[in-house]
Amino acid sequence: MNERAAPVEPLTLELVGAMHSVATRLEDALDPLGLSLAKFGALSKLVAAGEPLPLSALAERLACVRSNITQLVDRLEADQLVVRVQDPSDRRSVRAELTAQGRALHTEGLRALEAAERDLLDRLSAPQQDDLLRLLRLLRERA
Amino acid sequence: MNERAAPVEPLTLELVGAMHSVATRLEDALDPLGLSLAKFGALSKLVAAGEPLPLSALAERLACVRSNITQLVDRLEADQLVVRVQDPSDRRSVRAELTAQGRALHTEGLRALEAAERDLLDRLSAPQQDDLLRLLRLLRERA
DNA sequence: TAAGATTGAGATCTCAATCTTG
DNA sequence: CAAGATTGAGATCTCAATCTTA
């Protein structure tokens, strides 16, 4: 029994707080490269796809709305990391294509993130790391 | 051995993705009340403190910069959930004080969050929930 | 009309610079 | 000068409305 007042903070706020802390650490790791998590995420999806992606597809894979991608690609284009290319078969569609520079920076970002990841996860044993990933995926895969 | 290309996505991006998904779910739960996670977080810290807090203290407890709190309190004040009060003993200091309306809405928000929390965590057994919290705290408590 | 993309308004956050008070 | 708060600029995100093309 605990005599003190009941916790005012729901469990989920702890979740959000911890995740915010992790995200901040990762942003800091990417910052020296001029990258943000948002930008790296987009580059990452483009590399994974292996080909230019329509902005709608990018929005779907990054779990955000289309208008967000319009602006994100604006900034990526200003950084010369991607270019917009027209789709001749459907003139409504615009695809984002990686530049050589974008591909190279993604590789650097990957290294930086993996270093930050080792720093972060070194606290946890290998089985703990597996557990964490499994639990988070359970939360995510909810309808 | 896996013949396919190595995963392009670092483990940490999975973490960020899961975080984003959870945060979105919680935002949705608060939305009908006209609350956001940011606003609820501030109300929650004020309720926990039991007294008006200087904006600096609020910034510290919410792990963000002061200028963020200035604007957040602007919006909370516009919603009539808090008021700014002057500190007679130090005229530099401004404290945020809950209104009755702010206190009431915090209670409603708490209920909404706890419902969303049950929805989210129902997937996990009680020991799994404990594990998740423990693991996240380990990640957070890093220097 | 549907779909793809963009625009405009606004919420949330950061940083750098500034202003007042200590 | 330090500290507390604010302001201004800009990044990131959402929603509603709009424009073009299918």
Side-chain angles (χ1 to χ4, degrees):
Chain A
M1 313 305 169
N2 190 336
E3 291 176 357
R4 304 202 49 236
V8 186
E9 299 247 328
L11 209 95
T12 37
L13 278 203
E14 287 248 26
L15 246 157
V16 171
M19 289 171 172
H20 181 266
S21 151
V22 170
T24 300
R25 208 94 47 92
L26 300 179
E27 293 274 7
D28 289 348
L30 291 176
D31 189 59
L33 300 175
L35 279 179
S36 61
L37 269 179
K39 287 178 177 177
F40 178 83
L43 296 182
S44 186
K45 293 302 181 190
L46 287 172
V47 167
E51 59 178 3
L53 285 180
L55 301 199
S56 298
L58 210 43
E60 214 172 294
R61 297 178 198 208
L62 291 172
C64 67
V65 295
R66 270 193 293 271
S67 62
N68 188 4
I69 298 301
T70 294
Q71 306 172 71
L72 182 53
V73 169
D74 283 349
R75 294 189 298 267
L76 289 169
E77 223 173 7
D79 291 346
Q80 301 187 302
L81 302 179
V82 309
V83 289
R84 278 178 165 88
V85 295
Q86 294 295 326
D87 182 339
S89 70
D90 185 342
R91 269 180 303 174
R92 288 174 306 179
S93 179
V94 176
R95 290 176 300 167
E97 178 173 19
L98 279 171
T99 63
Q101 200 176 330
R103 203 175 297 274
L105 197 55
H106 170 261
T107 303
E108 289 186 57
L110 200 53
R111 261 197 288 272
L113 272 192
E114 282 166 349
E117 183 173 307
R118 276 190 299 277
D119 263 16
L120 258 172
L121 297 184
D122 267 0
R123 283 243 155 164
L124 310 185
S125 68
Q128 280 179 326
Q129 293 181 23
D130 290 346
D131 286 348
L132 178 61
L133 255 291
R134 195 174 314 113
L135 292 172
L136 287 175
R137 283 188 182 131
L138 279 177
L139 286 190
R140 186 179 202 175
E141 282 159 13
R142 194 131 162 67
Chain B
M1 314 308 169
N2 191 335
E3 292 176 354
R4 304 203 50 237
V8 187
E9 298 246 327
L11 208 95
T12 36
L13 279 203
E14 287 246 28
L15 247 155
V16 172
M19 156 190 100
H20 182 262
S21 153
V22 169
T24 300
R25 208 94 46 90
L26 300 179
E27 292 275 7
D28 290 348
L30 291 176
D31 189 58
L33 301 175
L35 278 179
S36 60
L37 268 179
K39 287 177 178 175
F40 179 82
L43 296 182
S44 186
K45 294 302 181 190
L46 287 173
V47 168
E51 60 179 1
L53 284 179
L55 302 199
S56 298
L58 210 44
E60 215 173 293
R61 297 178 197 207
L62 291 171
C64 68
V65 296
R66 270 191 292 270
S67 62
N68 189 4
I69 298 301
T70 294
Q71 305 172 70
L72 183 53
V73 169
D74 283 349
R75 295 188 297 268
L76 289 169
E77 224 174 7
D79 293 346
Q80 302 187 301
L81 303 177
V82 308
V83 289
R84 278 178 165 88
V85 294
Q86 293 296 326
D87 183 340
S89 70
D90 183 342
R91 270 181 302 173
R92 290 174 305 179
S93 179
V94 177
R95 290 176 300 168
E97 177 172 19
L98 279 171
T99 63
Q101 200 176 329
R103 203 177 297 272
L105 198 54
H106 170 261
T107 303
E108 289 186 57
L110 201 54
R111 261 197 289 271
L113 271 191
E114 282 166 349
E117 183 174 307
R118 276 191 299 277
D119 264 15
L120 257 170
L121 296 184
D122 265 1
R123 284 241 155 167
L124 310 183
S125 67
Q128 279 179 327
Q129 293 181 24
D130 290 345
D131 286 348
L132 179 60
L133 257 289
R134 196 174 313 116
L135 292 172
L136 287 175
R137 282 185 184 136
L138 279 177
L139 286 189
R140 187 179 202 176
E141 282 160 12
R142 194 131 161 66

